[in-house]
Structures are given as structure tokens and as C-alpha cells.
Amino acid sequence: MRSPSVKEQRALVDRLTASCGGHYSPERRRKYFISGPQWAAAYQGQALFHAPTREPVSYSEVISHYAEIGIGYWTTHDTDVVPTEDLMTERQQKIVADIKKTLRKHGLKCSMVTTETFFHPVWATSSASESPEVRAYAAARLENTVAIGHELGAQFVVYWPGTLGYLTQGSIDEIQTLRWFAESINAACLKDIALASEKKTSTMRHCLEAKPFEPQGEIILPTSDAMLAFIGSGLLKHPEMVGLNPEYLHELMWGSAPRAALARALVAGKLWHFDINDGYRLKHDVDIGVALVNPLDWLNVLILLRSHGYQGPFNLDFKPPRTTSNYGVFKVSFPTAVDRFITLWEIAGEALEDKILKEATEALKAGGATKKGNGGAKEIFDANKELWTLHELVAHRLVQILLGVHRGRKFA
Ligand code: GLT
Ligand code: MN
Ligand code: MN
């Protein structure tokens, strides 16, 4: 094959993307509560051992590209759009006013805002630091994010506590740290209540996001389950305002089953926001696009969420790989991620309607008919033992549905 020029490379990417067999229309994509983070689209490909591979992208570019693609909601950290030194100044107000205009112009809504409490050196001892100045500054930053959220009409605010942990055992007092962390969340909730009553609007949903490690070796609130315990610990003034933003990969990173973690959050009534992506068990936060690694698990996750009426946002918290160009971020990364999600959502709907799965689950729930014996263990087991083979058949059927085999594959 002849080596293509850069211009030909773009044409090749376009042609092969189109050859993948079509895509959902922007109108259709907008029907889902799918949000695109500013930081995901603007990620330049840098990491500890990696220099950036992409040019910076401004919020207006991100918002206009999301509009073209059909991503209806936009999410951001405070410092994704306002430089740290401009926060809580008039300069911030100007930027926020411009963002509002840009969102309106492109027909997007801001659904979530979040505070960056991990990147700047001020957070080296975390936002729940021993230093009272750092803690007061952290609380002010959270309150400021809530104010930005109200200004932009966001319903959700997320807190990923980043450096809330340690590299060396014993260097911090965990109990004190948890109390201090709660103080900032309390300040944010009180600010929210005050703003909502002043503006006669509703309060926001404050969502905690866990990650088991990175950037610290040990994290104090490493999992969604730990965060559920924290919400119920008595340290929060308004636990009813605080819920979860689990991230798919963060649950895999500690070796759990994300679907089970989501189920526990649903049972607690705290699954409010969901970061969607993919990656590998017990490894790093690689933030790969949704369903590129574990499509079957993703199908199962969406079956759970569909059947239990999850109504919250699906936030595309993935990182386009370093090998993808600036052009590719908006031509390939985001549209294909959205389309894989919608396809799996639709397939989850098909699975819920599948006659074989329905009959199998109903039969399992009915249980095997016992004869009129004494109801002992052996009798119960004997009455069910052929029925329970259906577990494996259910798994087989789900794979068939994922692969589209149920639509009719010729086995010749
Ligand atoms: C950071 C983290 C993400 C969080 C973002 C929100 S920041 O990129 O790895 O999972 O959702 O603070
Ligand atoms: Mn996330
Ligand atoms: Mn992640």
C-alpha cells in the first residue's frame, strides 16, 4: 500500500469510519442523558512518562463539537475553564457568562460541575489537609463551584477527592481527615441551600466519586461502598443531599464487579450520576472508551440500569488515546463512544424483552416442584437440579444477544 499523506490519512479515517456501518443521528443521540466532559475532550495525551500528543482545545471548540455530534450536555471542572488565579474574581464571572452564551448558542446544557482538588500543588496534602488555610480554601473552592453550577443551571456537582490518602502509612490521621473532608462537603451543601432559596431554584445533587488508588498509594475513601458508609456516618449535615457518581473503571480497578457496585448504590437510593468508560481489572485508570474492553459486562450493566429505572446522566469520562489526533477526538472518539453506548442500551432493551431469557428467569424464580416429602435439602436440590442448568443458558443467550446471533445467524 502507498503511504498516505496527512490529508489522505484524514480521508482514510473518514472513509473507514463511515464503512463501519452508519451511526445514530445527532437528534437521536441528544435524546439520551449523555454528557461530555470538558477535560475528556481537551485531554492532550500527557501522563507521567508521556508528553502531550494533541494541541489544546478551548471550551468553545469542545461545546461546538459536542453540539455537532449530538452530545446534549457538557460537564467541567472549575479549573478546566477558569485559571486557578482567576477563580472567585471578576475574571471568573466573565468566563462563566461567556460559557453560558456559548452553551445557549449551541443548544447544550451544563449538567454537572466539579472542583479540581488534586492537580494544583496546593492540594499536595489533600483538600482535607492538616493546614487550616488549605481547608478553608478547599471549602471556598467547593462553594464557588456550587455557585458556578447555579449560574450555569447544573443539577449535579461531583467530588473526586483525588489526594485524600497517603503514600506512606501513618503519615496522616485518617479519622481527622474524614471529619475535615466532611466539613468541606457540608460547606458546599449549605452554600447550595442558601443559593437555591435566594434564587428560588432547587438544590443540586452532590455526588461523591471514588477511585481506589492514584494519585496516592492508599486512598481513604477508595470505593463507592466506602463512600456510602461515609454518607451514612453522621459526619455530614445533609446526607440526603449527597449521593454517588460511580465510575465504571474505578470499580474494576479494585477488582469488583461494577454491576454489583451499581446495584448496591441503587439499593441505597444513591446512584445519581455515572461516569462511563472501560479498562482492565486491578490495573490503572486507563479511561478507555465505553465498551471497548468489556462489552458483555457493559450490556449487563445497562440491563440492570434499564430494569431498575436509572434516570441520571451517563458522563463520557474516558480519555481519547494518545494515538488519536485532535481531528480524531471529535470524528472518532466521541461519536463512536456515544454510538456504542446507545447500541448497547438498545440491545439491553432487546435482552429484557427476549422470550428465552424471560421464560428462563421466570422458571428459575418459580423453582422446581417438590413432591410431598419432608422439604429437606436433598428433596429441594433434586427438585431443582435440572432447572438450574438455565443459569448457564442465560449467560449463553446474553452473549448471543450481544453478538446479534438472536437476529438469525446461519450456522452452516
Ligand atoms: C479525574 C478523575 C475522573 C473524575 C474527574 C472529576 S477528575 O480525571 O480521574 O475520574 O471523574 O473530578
Ligand atoms: Mn470519573
Ligand atoms: Mn477513571
Side-chain angles (χ1 to χ4, degrees):
M1 195 184 193
R2 188 177 57 81
S3 305
S5 68
V6 174
K7 209 167 149 225
E8 288 168 337
Q9 290 167 25
R10 280 200 180 182
L12 176 69
V13 167
D14 286 343
R15 184 167 56 75
L16 294 183
T17 305
S19 306
C20 283
H23 54 79
Y24 293 105
S25 68
E27 295 68 40
R28 177 73 192 285
R29 290 170 177 160
R30 266 190 282 273
K31 292 201 163 60
Y32 293 82
F33 198 167
I34 295 175
S35 58
Q38 173 63 27
W39 69 87
Y43 168 61
Q44 290 182 254
Q46 74 279 17
L48 195 53
F49 298 109
H50 295 158
T53 57
R54 288 188 289 268
E55 299 299 315
V57 190
S58 68
Y59 63 79
S60 51
E61 287 170 271
V62 171
I63 291 169
S64 79
H65 282 299
Y66 281 170
E68 270 164 31
I69 294 168
I71 296 171
Y73 299 84
W74 175 81
T75 60
T76 192
H77 289 101
D78 50 0
T79 56
D80 290 342
V81 288
V82 184
T84 304
E85 57 281 11
D86 291 341
L87 288 164
M88 302 177 261
T89 68
E90 236 174 67
R91 178 88 191 109
Q92 166 180 311
Q93 286 170 10
K94 284 203 186 107
I95 297 173
V96 172
D98 184 62
I99 292 174
K100 241 172 136 171
K101 241 177 45 202
T102 312
L103 288 168
R104 205 175 311 125
K105 177 172 156 208
H106 293 284
L108 259 80
K109 289 203 167 83
C110 170
S111 52
M112 182 272 269
V113 287
T114 175
T115 315
E116 171 266 301
T117 50
F118 42 89
F119 186 73
H120 194 282
V122 72
W123 309 124
T125 52
S126 92
S127 58
S129 164
E130 294 91 341
S131 156
E133 286 84 6
V134 172
R135 295 204 302 278
Y137 177 68
R141 283 282 297 272
L142 260 55
E143 290 170 343
N144 182 58
T145 302
V146 166
I148 296 176
H150 272 271
E151 195 53 37
L152 296 177
Q155 302 149 260
F156 298 92
V157 53
V158 161
Y159 308 103
W160 173 57
T163 40
L164 201 67
Y166 44 86
L167 279 172
T168 48
Q169 306 272 343
S171 54
I172 63 159
D173 177 340
E174 291 87 344
I175 292 177
Q176 193 57 263
T177 302
L178 286 169
R179 288 207 178 100
W180 285 332
F181 182 60
E183 281 172 15
S184 296
I185 306 285
N186 288 338
C189 290
L190 291 178
K191 176 79 178 179
D192 187 14
I193 293 170
L195 284 175
S197 86
E198 189 185 308
K199 301 186 171 193
K200 308 224 173 332
T201 50
S202 341
T203 54
M204 295 158 91
R205 296 196 136 196
H206 298 248
C207 308
L208 305 179
E209 176 178 348
K211 192 190 310 193
F213 42 82
E214 195 205 29
Q216 295 292 30
E218 300 295 339
I219 289 283
I220 294 180
L221 292 169
T223 62
S224 294
D225 300 288
M227 285 180 159
L228 282 180
F230 173 74
I231 294 169
S233 69
L235 293 177
L236 293 178
K237 284 203 177 105
H238 287 284
E240 77 289 356
M241 292 174 72
V242 184
L244 294 181
N245 171 44
E247 176 175 310
Y248 177 87
L249 177 57
H250 296 176
E251 300 303 324
L252 263 195
M253 281 170 71
W254 66 271
S256 87
R259 175 164 132 147
L262 293 167
R264 294 188 291 272
L266 278 167
V267 165
K270 293 295 191 185
L271 184 63
W272 294 354
H273 200 275
F274 183 25
D275 275 0
I276 63 171
N277 58 12
D278 211 341
Y280 303 93
R281 235 181 189 144
L282 298 171
K283 290 200 181 174
H284 291 281
D285 194 23
V286 285
D287 288 332
I288 293 170
V290 57
L292 284 180
V293 181
N294 296 293
L296 177 62
D297 194 47
W298 259 107
L299 173 62
N300 282 320
V301 161
L302 296 184
I303 290 173
L304 177 90
L305 298 189
R306 274 193 82 135
S307 52
H308 291 273
Y310 171 73
Q311 301 281 327
F314 295 97
N315 189 42
L316 295 161
D317 193 12
F318 72 103
K319 300 224 166 30
R322 289 179 90 214
T323 42
T324 295
S325 71
N326 277 78
Y327 179 77
V329 166
F330 297 108
K331 288 290 173 191
V332 177
S333 291
F334 280 92
T336 58
V338 171
D339 287 354
R340 283 193 304 281
F341 171 81
I342 299 178
T343 306
L344 283 165
W345 183 262
E346 295 300 311
I347 297 176
E350 286 172 29
L352 287 169
E353 290 307 312
D354 185 68
K355 289 207 178 76
I356 296 168
L357 286 175
K358 267 191 177 165
E359 196 175 335
T361 27
E362 273 160 30
L364 281 163
K365 281 195 260 181
T370 43
K371 299 189 201 89
K372 38 178 183 322
N374 60 7
K378 180 162 185 341
E379 187 191 340
I380 298 170
F381 172 72
D382 285 344
N384 280 278
K385 73 178 183 198
E386 296 304 332
L387 189 63
W388 290 346
T389 301
L390 288 176
H391 268 262
E392 191 174 355
L393 190 73
V394 165
H396 168 72
R397 186 64 179 161
L398 285 164
V399 174
Q400 279 199 319
I401 292 172
L402 175 69
L403 299 178
V405 176
H406 64 306
R407 290 178 185 278
R409 180 186 161 91
K410 303 260 177 305
F411 287 95

